[in-house]
Amino acid sequence: MKKSWIILLFISHAWSGDWRVTFKDQCALEGTSVLIGCEFDYPRGHLVTSVAWFRGQRLSDRWVLYSLSTQVRFNYVGNSRGNCSLAINNLNRADEGHYFFRFKTVFNSWTSMRPLHLSVKELTAVLEPSTVTEGQEVSLSCWSGCATRLQVVWYRDGTPVPRQVFSASIKDSGSYYCTVLGQKIQSASVALNVQYAPSDVLLSMKPAGDVLNASAVTLGCSSHANPPVPQSGYSLYKDDQLISSGRDHIISPLQPRHSGLYHCQASNNISRRGVTYVSSSGMNLDVQYLPSVAEGSSVNVTCSSTANPANHSHIWYKWTNSSSLLQMGSGQVMSLPSMETSQTGMYLCQTRNRLGVVSSTKVLLAMEDDTSGGRSLQVLVLAGLGVCLFGILVIALLLLWNKLRNKAEKKVQGATRAALKSRGLLILALNQAQVPAQHVSPAASENQHDNIYANVSLSTPPTHPPPHILSKQQHAIDEHDEVTYSTVTIKAKHRQESRFKMEEHDETVIYSNVANSS
């Protein structure tokens, strides 16, 4: 009887415990490891035979459990005597969800009444504000989404940031991220945009160095600014006078008047200590130009030198197209009284003493270019007037020459007839070998053009020689060796009238022989 009581007492004590599993929901960062604390209990007298964690998925009104035994990142770190803790390594977002713990004894099994919820969060870097003006305050905060307070370290482009609250400057622009102290985990990077007025404003010139007139240069303005300076934000000044707006300014062709001190200004509408426009340092543009003179003006070019013994001769030369030297003169000063286009070119002088000869550097002497449109127009107008006047002059000369020629012809014809008539030396003879006048056709008469042949002597015979004198003269003519024939063409004013006269008087051909007495 006593033994039975002891057995009942033991059984009553063994079944007096509670079946339970105790844990808390967890929140952890992606990429970290988490230890889920867990405890379980059961009535005394039971022997735990197995323990396991399951992933739970809610389907309709019930939970479906999936074993984690195949997950290598999940490690059971508890025991079979009440500790059911679970460690999960290298968490990822897919690990977020609901978990159940189950244990079995010889007589029974128990599953947690409710699931454990695991939240997996990302580490997030926050800049307030993310876009600031230089001098404005910036606050850094690292947010995990979990209630647990984290110890974090901040970095900017890989460099540790000492303070989480600071006044922004140009150097503070960059990418920021935070990390959890002691863990290899960092947030995604966020950019801090620090806007500032233009700095390092620079005026440049291309090509650099000395420049000659008739060439071109480009003046460019640049700066560091955030936001960048727009095209309209740049201004170019010459001697404090506004020249143009824009990043680049081209001067072509260069003229001596372009020489001066230039600087540029830049603005992006952000002020620095109340100043919106920032200026560059000045740049002096020195336009070098070749000696040039206007056409027709006088030029004096001087050759100076020092020597011991003193120079005693200076000779000037000009380079020709064949690359040879043409001597232009001597003396220390070469004078060109009236500059012409042919005199442009390269000149040099040579100085000589008893020790030798030294040549100077070459100098280009050029004509001034007339680039003004007004002067070009004047030249065109003058050229047009010159052509018109020349044409009028040519026409007038032609008319005058024609008139003088007609008068001369009339004078010659009148003088010839008067001389022949006054001297009485015309001997008329009808050429019987010619076609008789009455048989000459009008066309033939026209083609003959009233030909007249005259032989004129150089002597002065009497006005009315007697017959015996005529016979002697005729004899003298026959004996004379040189007989001169002169052809005179007389064009009738009315060709038809002339033809009728010739037929009537039969004077189409006239021969005249005059002796040349010595």
Side-chain angles (χ1 to χ4, degrees):
M1 186 72 182
K2 185 177 180 180
K3 291 181 179 179
S4 298
W5 180 82
I6 294 174
I7 295 173
L8 290 174
L9 180 62
F10 173 78
I11 296 175
S12 175
H13 177 75
W15 291 94
S16 64
D18 294 329
W19 298 90
R20 61 184 177 83
V21 176
T22 306
F23 45 62
K24 292 182 178 180
D25 292 343
Q26 295 289 325
C27 180
L29 294 174
E30 183 179 9
T32 63
S33 298
V34 63
L35 177 62
I36 300 175
C38 176
E39 293 180 354
F40 67 97
D41 196 8
Y42 52 92
R44 295 189 181 197
H46 287 258
L47 180 63
V48 176
T49 58
S50 67
V51 294
W53 281 89
F54 296 87
R55 179 78 177 267
Q57 184 176 4
R58 186 79 173 179
L59 292 178
S60 186
D61 57 347
R62 64 188 183 91
W63 289 96
V64 178
L65 303 183
Y66 301 93
S67 176
L68 299 177
S69 59
T70 59
Q71 300 289 332
V72 295
R73 295 185 297 109
F74 292 77
N75 297 318
Y76 183 77
V77 294
N79 52 42
S80 62
R81 298 181 299 275
N83 186 355
C84 54
S85 298
L86 177 68
I88 306 176
N89 300 319
N90 193 20
L91 282 171
N92 57 53
R93 296 302 297 270
D95 296 331
E96 183 173 288
H98 297 85
Y99 294 84
F100 290 84
F101 176 70
R102 173 186 292 175
F103 67 96
K104 290 182 179 181
T105 66
V106 177
F107 303 104
N108 201 356
S109 65
W110 185 262
T111 303
S112 55
M113 299 296 293
R114 69 171 187 87
L116 176 145
H117 183 258
L118 175 62
S119 299
V120 180
K121 303 295 183 181
E122 291 182 347
L123 192 63
T124 304
V126 179
L127 302 178
E128 296 178 343
S130 59
T131 299
V132 297
T133 303
E134 185 179 14
Q136 188 176 351
E137 188 175 273
V138 178
S139 176
L140 306 178
S141 59
C142 194
W143 181 69
S144 66
C146 298
T148 306
R149 185 177 180 85
L150 301 175
Q151 288 185 332
V152 297
V153 179
W154 280 92
Y155 294 88
R156 182 191 72 246
D157 299 327
T159 302
V161 178
R163 297 183 304 275
Q164 296 186 12
V165 178
F166 55 89
S167 179
S169 64
I170 298 175
K171 65 180 182 180
D172 293 325
S173 293
S175 295
Y176 288 75
Y177 61 88
C178 59
T179 63
V180 177
L181 184 63
Q183 298 193 35
K184 295 181 179 180
I185 179 175
Q186 71 179 46
S187 67
S189 298
V190 291
L192 176 62
N193 183 18
V194 180
Q195 296 184 341
Y196 52 90
S199 62
D200 301 328
V201 182
L202 177 65
L203 178 63
S204 62
M205 180 176 67
K206 295 180 182 179
D210 297 336
V211 292
L212 296 174
N213 63 332
S215 61
V217 297
T218 300
L219 298 176
C221 195
S222 61
S223 66
H224 292 99
N226 186 24
V229 177
Q231 281 284 347
S232 58
Y234 287 105
S235 301
L236 181 67
Y237 290 83
K238 174 181 178 289
D239 299 329
D240 295 328
Q241 297 294 323
L242 178 63
I243 300 299
S244 67
S245 297
R247 183 184 299 273
D248 298 317
H249 179 77
I250 299 175
I251 304 177
S252 176
L254 274 175
Q255 301 293 334
R257 59 185 174 84
H258 293 132
S259 296
L261 186 64
Y262 290 79
H263 78 275
C264 69
Q265 289 185 348
S267 173
N268 61 352
N269 295 324
I270 295 179
S271 63
R272 175 184 296 171
R273 293 185 291 273
V275 177
T276 303
Y277 286 89
V278 182
S279 298
S280 69
S281 57
M283 172 179 287
N284 187 50
L285 176 60
D286 184 16
V287 181
Q288 300 180 359
Y289 52 94
L290 301 171
S292 61
V293 292
E295 186 176 5
S297 60
S298 61
V299 180
N300 291 329
V301 186
T302 303
C303 183
S304 61
S305 61
T306 57
N308 186 17
N311 299 326
H312 62 272
S313 68
H314 297 79
I315 301 177
W316 287 92
Y317 295 93
K318 178 186 177 183
W319 286 92
T320 63
N321 293 333
S322 59
S323 300
S324 60
L325 293 176
L326 176 64
Q327 184 173 343
M328 300 298 294
S330 60
Q332 191 170 3
V333 178
M334 180 182 67
S335 296
L336 302 176
S338 180
M339 186 66 185
E340 298 178 357
T341 305
S342 61
Q343 294 172 327
T344 61
M346 200 76 71
Y347 290 81
L348 63 84
C349 73
Q350 289 184 349
T351 60
R352 179 191 301 271
N353 64 6
R354 61 183 178 83
L355 298 179
V357 178
V358 177
S359 298
S360 70
T361 58
K362 296 184 287 293
V363 175
L364 177 62
L365 191 60
M367 298 284 288
E368 287 184 350
D369 291 333
D370 183 12
T371 58
S372 63
R375 185 169 297 181
S376 300
L377 182 60
Q378 292 177 4
V379 170
L380 291 176
V381 172
L382 291 176
L385 291 175
V387 171
C388 293
L389 292 176
F390 179 76
I392 294 173
L393 180 60
V394 169
I395 294 173
L397 289 175
L398 288 174
L399 293 174
L400 179 61
W401 177 79
N402 190 39
K403 184 176 181 180
L404 292 176
R405 187 187 66 174
N406 292 336
K407 292 179 72 174
E409 287 180 354
K410 289 179 180 181
K411 272 187 178 182
V412 170
Q413 293 175 4
T416 302
R417 289 179 180 178
L420 293 175
K421 184 177 180 180
S422 61
R423 294 177 181 180
L425 299 178
L426 292 177
I427 301 175
L428 304 178
L430 179 62
N431 187 357
Q432 299 296 330
Q434 301 295 327
V435 179
Q438 61 271 18
H439 296 103
V440 177
S441 65
S445 300
E446 262 185 352
N447 291 335
Q448 288 177 0
H449 296 294
D450 300 341
N451 293 329
I452 299 174
Y453 298 88
N455 294 325
V456 183
S457 131
L458 296 178
S459 63
T460 306
T463 304
H464 301 286
H468 66 279
I469 298 298
L470 285 175
S471 63
K472 290 182 179 181
Q473 289 177 346
Q474 184 65 40
H475 179 69
I477 291 172
D478 294 337
E479 295 178 350
H480 201 276
D481 293 334
E482 295 180 3
V483 178
T484 303
Y485 293 90
S486 175
T487 302
V488 180
T489 302
I490 302 174
K491 295 182 179 180
K493 187 174 181 181
H494 299 288
R495 194 173 294 273
Q496 186 69 23
E497 182 181 349
S498 300
R499 187 174 71 243
F500 292 157
K501 286 184 178 181
M502 287 187 290
E503 290 176 358
E504 182 181 353
H505 299 287
D506 199 18
E507 295 176 352
T508 302
V509 180
I510 301 174
Y511 296 90
S512 175
N513 295 326
V514 182
N516 184 8
S517 61
S518 55

